[in-house]
């Protein structure tokens, strides 16, 4: 079962690597408490280029993946974007459809 989970996560990571610069992410002191919890199987920092600017997003893959969707957080260096709709005070980006 765990091996199957790792295959699914590795597949997701390989797909993301094709399009984005990415690296393993280790939470810092500035990160919210939820991001520091051990409920995540993997944390990935994605660097996304949009209109001559690079934005850093943290993809938090839960231990229950693929039965639970990953969460997406804005990196804390983008504090100027915290007041945008769908971004909460913990830098969590609401992606509910």
């Amino acid at each position: 079962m765990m091996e199957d989970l790792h295959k699914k996560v590795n597949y997701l990571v390989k797909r993301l690597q094709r399009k984005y610069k990415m690296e393993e992410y280790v939470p810092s002191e500035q990160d919210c408490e939820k991001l520091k919890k051990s409920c995540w199987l993997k944390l990935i920092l994605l660097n996304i280029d949009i209109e001559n600017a690079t934005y850093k997003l943290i993809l938090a893959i839960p231990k229950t993946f693929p039965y639970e969707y990953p969460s997406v957080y804005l990196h804390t260096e983008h504090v100027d974007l915290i007041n945008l709709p769908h971004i909460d005070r913990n830098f969590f980006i609401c992606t509910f459809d």
Side-chain angles (χ1 to χ4, degrees):
M1 174 98 166
M2 193 63 133
E3 184 178 317
D4 189 44
L5 173 62
H6 286 287
K7 283 181 182 179
K8 289 176 178 162
V9 170
N10 288 336
Y11 174 78
L12 174 64
V13 168
K14 285 179 185 176
R15 295 285 310 256
L16 290 170
Q17 284 175 331
R18 293 180 194 163
K19 191 166 183 164
Y20 305 108
K21 295 177 203 160
M22 54 183 280
E23 60 193 70
E24 193 90 18
Y25 185 72
V26 177
S28 68
E29 286 298 315
Q30 291 84 16
D31 288 318
C32 70
E33 290 304 313
K34 179 149 186 174
L35 205 52
K36 294 178 194 175
K37 289 186 177 179
S38 63
C39 61
W40 308 114
L41 178 67
K42 186 178 266 239
L43 295 172
I44 300 171
L45 179 67
L46 298 170
N47 294 294
I48 299 177
D49 297 321
I50 301 172
E51 295 183 6
N52 301 323
T54 299
Y55 298 94
K56 293 181 178 181
L57 300 178
I58 301 160
L59 182 66
I61 301 173
K63 290 180 179 177
T64 55
F65 180 81
Y67 304 106
E68 184 180 347
Y69 292 124
S71 296
V72 181
Y73 292 84
L74 188 64
H75 192 276
T76 55
E77 75 179 33
H78 301 298
V79 71
D80 55 321
L81 301 176
I82 197 72
N83 292 323
L84 288 175
H86 304 282
I87 300 175
D88 73 11
R89 62 182 173 81
N90 291 318
F91 294 85
F92 174 75
I93 300 173
C94 177
T95 57
F96 182 76
D97 186 19

